[in-house]
Amino acid sequence: MLKLFRLLARGAAARAAEDFFDQNALLILDQQIRETRASLERSRRALAVAIAGDRAEARRAEAAEARAQDLETRAVAALKAGREDLAAEAAEAIAELEAERDAIRAARATFTAEVARIRETVAEAGRRQAELERGRRVAAAAEAVRRLGASARPQDTTTLREAEATLARLRELQAETADTEAALAEAEPGADIAERLRREGFGGSDRQTGSAVLERLRRSAGLAAETA
């Protein structure tokens, strides 16, 4: 029984870890992208330092070659002048310089192949990083749509379906109010027949005409009798 309880506890812990990961997958992805981006940047810097070091080695090899050639020219001149002792010292120095040059060339051949491999690895990592960040943008948009359409906690967040239902109910209530007001207007005693009689020309209109207003103004000014 104790073994069974332990097994259930491990299963519950695993399920809780999975649920936590699912709920926070986007945050976890963001952090992972930040870490891989930083790692890629460190790799690029390391590659740049290695390339700069290789170029420095190339300059060393060129300098050793130039010194060896200069010494060889001078040693030949010393031999021609009968100074074999100086020529012998120059020969020793030339041998050392040529050995240094050859060692640098051999090391650079190996280093160049390694740098090419590292460069390709960094380039591939850069392509994968770019693809990962594009995928993150798509995932963020999809997650926003998912949360908008179906919230994990309905008590905290209103869904589109709920908002649409509220709008439909509001429109229904407004339509009922408008219908009620129209019905009340029509139910006013004599309202309907009075309007129909006015339209047919029976009885005066409630609307004042320009001539009637002018006549009223003349009376107010004491001119009605003179006009008549």
Side-chain angles (χ1 to χ4, degrees):
M1 183 65 68
L2 182 59
K3 183 177 180 181
L4 179 59
F5 285 153
R6 289 175 178 173
L7 184 62
L8 289 173
R10 290 198 299 272
R15 175 62 63 83
E18 290 178 358
D19 291 343
F20 179 81
F21 181 86
D22 291 343
Q23 294 172 7
N24 298 277
L26 197 59
L27 291 176
I28 294 171
L29 178 60
D30 285 342
Q31 181 58 31
Q32 290 172 335
I33 287 177
R34 282 191 289 270
E35 293 176 359
T36 55
R37 187 188 299 127
S39 178
L40 178 59
E41 184 60 26
R42 287 193 297 269
S43 299
R44 285 173 173 164
R45 290 183 178 274
L47 178 60
V49 170
I51 292 173
D54 182 55
R55 290 173 180 171
E57 288 292 300
R59 289 192 295 270
R60 280 183 57 201
E62 291 173 358
E65 178 69 20
R67 288 174 60 195
Q69 291 178 357
D70 179 65
L71 281 176
E72 186 172 337
T73 301
R74 296 177 186 275
V76 170
L79 284 173
K80 289 180 180 179
R83 295 298 305 273
E84 190 160 340
D85 56 331
L86 291 177
E89 290 183 18
E92 289 293 336
I94 291 170
E96 290 178 5
L97 288 170
E98 289 180 347
E100 180 182 358
R101 176 203 62 196
D102 294 341
I104 292 173
R105 286 178 177 175
R108 287 195 66 223
T110 301
F111 188 80
T112 299
E114 186 66 14
V115 165
R117 185 189 66 80
I118 295 173
R119 190 194 299 272
E120 179 58 32
T121 300
V122 171
E124 175 62 21
R127 288 190 291 270
R128 292 173 64 185
Q129 180 74 25
E131 181 62 29
L132 185 62
E133 296 193 10
R134 283 192 294 271
R136 188 268 171 207
R137 290 193 291 272
V138 173
E143 179 65 10
V145 172
R146 185 187 70 81
R147 291 185 178 183
L148 181 65
S151 172
R153 298 186 302 171
Q155 69 274 20
D156 294 339
T157 305
T158 300
T159 65
L160 280 176
R161 186 176 292 107
E162 292 170 346
E164 289 167 348
T166 301
L167 177 61
R169 178 56 182 163
L170 181 60
R171 287 173 173 171
E172 181 180 346
L173 291 173
Q174 290 172 343
E176 290 177 358
T177 300
D179 291 343
T180 301
E181 291 176 353
L184 287 174
E186 292 175 0
E188 184 178 348
D192 181 58
I193 187 60
E195 178 59 26
R196 288 168 57 195
L197 287 169
R198 278 194 294 269
R199 288 199 299 268
E200 295 294 331
F202 301 110
S205 174
D206 294 337
R207 188 173 183 275
Q208 289 286 344
T209 64
S211 59
V213 172
L214 181 60
E215 182 64 25
R216 186 179 73 245
L217 294 174
R218 283 175 174 168
R219 285 196 300 270
S220 297
L223 301 176
E226 295 178 6
T227 303

